[in-house]
Amino acid sequence: MNKITRMIWVMGVLMLAGFCLCSCDRSLDVQTVFPFEVEAMPVRKDIALGETAEIRCLLKTEGNFSDTRYTIRYFQPEGEGELRLNGVVFEPNDRYPLESKSFRLYYTSRSTDRQLIDIYIEDNHGQLQQLSFDFNNKRTE
């Protein structure tokens, strides 16, 4: 009887060890996607034809992963104008890399109508943030 009890005890311990160890994974669970948001300083609402407005932006992340890359693009549903970053004039809906988390965009009005621009900042993990700016025509008299 002592031999049977010992055998049941050994089998029970081996089953418990097998159950506990089979759920282990030797790979580390490394998080590579961190949420981010884009903050913009207040921007003036009125802009005249040919005038340029500065848009100061800051990209804030909850964590830092060295392989995360950010891109920027814009679309202008109303009005006409051009958007620049570091001297590069953007084409609508083309993606441009963001080199820094703090950046300044420059929008120049090419219209006397109301102007609306939507700016999209996306990371290489598919996360997207949108900023919208609405400019009214400033009449020069």
Side-chain angles (χ1 to χ4, degrees):
M1 186 71 167
N2 194 13
K3 209 176 201 182
I4 293 174
T5 307
R6 200 177 303 154
M7 185 64 103
I8 292 174
W9 177 254
V10 169
M11 292 301 284
V13 168
L14 287 175
M15 285 177 39
L16 180 65
F19 176 75
C20 291
L21 295 176
C22 72
S23 66
C24 293
D25 188 4
R26 291 193 178 272
S27 64
L28 291 175
D29 183 22
V30 178
Q31 183 176 358
T32 58
V33 178
F34 293 102
F36 73 94
E37 64 182 43
V38 181
E39 292 181 354
M41 295 290 291
V43 178
R44 65 180 187 212
K45 297 291 181 192
D46 297 327
I47 189 169
L49 177 67
E51 206 170 25
T52 299
E54 180 182 61
I55 304 168
R56 295 181 186 185
C57 299
L58 178 64
L59 196 141
K60 296 176 96 179
T61 61
E62 289 186 11
N64 190 14
F65 180 60
S66 61
D67 287 340
T68 301
R69 293 176 308 281
Y70 298 95
T71 58
I72 186 169
R73 61 188 170 99
Y74 90 104
F75 180 70
Q76 187 162 9
E78 289 186 40
E80 287 184 38
E82 67 181 31
L83 189 66
R84 293 187 320 273
L85 173 66
N86 299 330
V88 176
V89 177
F90 290 174
E91 291 293 326
N93 281 336
D94 283 355
R95 292 182 193 276
Y96 297 90
L98 276 177
E99 305 297 331
S100 173
K101 291 185 178 183
S102 175
F103 55 95
R104 294 179 185 199
L105 300 167
Y106 297 94
Y107 176 76
T108 304
S109 172
R110 301 285 182 232
S111 173
T112 58
D113 298 327
R114 177 177 176 251
Q115 298 158 66
L116 176 65
I117 59 171
D118 297 324
I119 298 171
Y120 302 93
I121 296 160
E122 189 173 5
D123 68 5
N124 58 322
H125 304 290
Q127 298 181 94
L128 178 72
Q129 291 288 316
Q130 178 184 351
L131 300 171
S132 292
F133 297 97
D134 191 358
F135 299 103
N136 293 318
N137 182 35
K138 180 169 78 174
R139 305 210 188 277
T140 55
E141 295 175 18

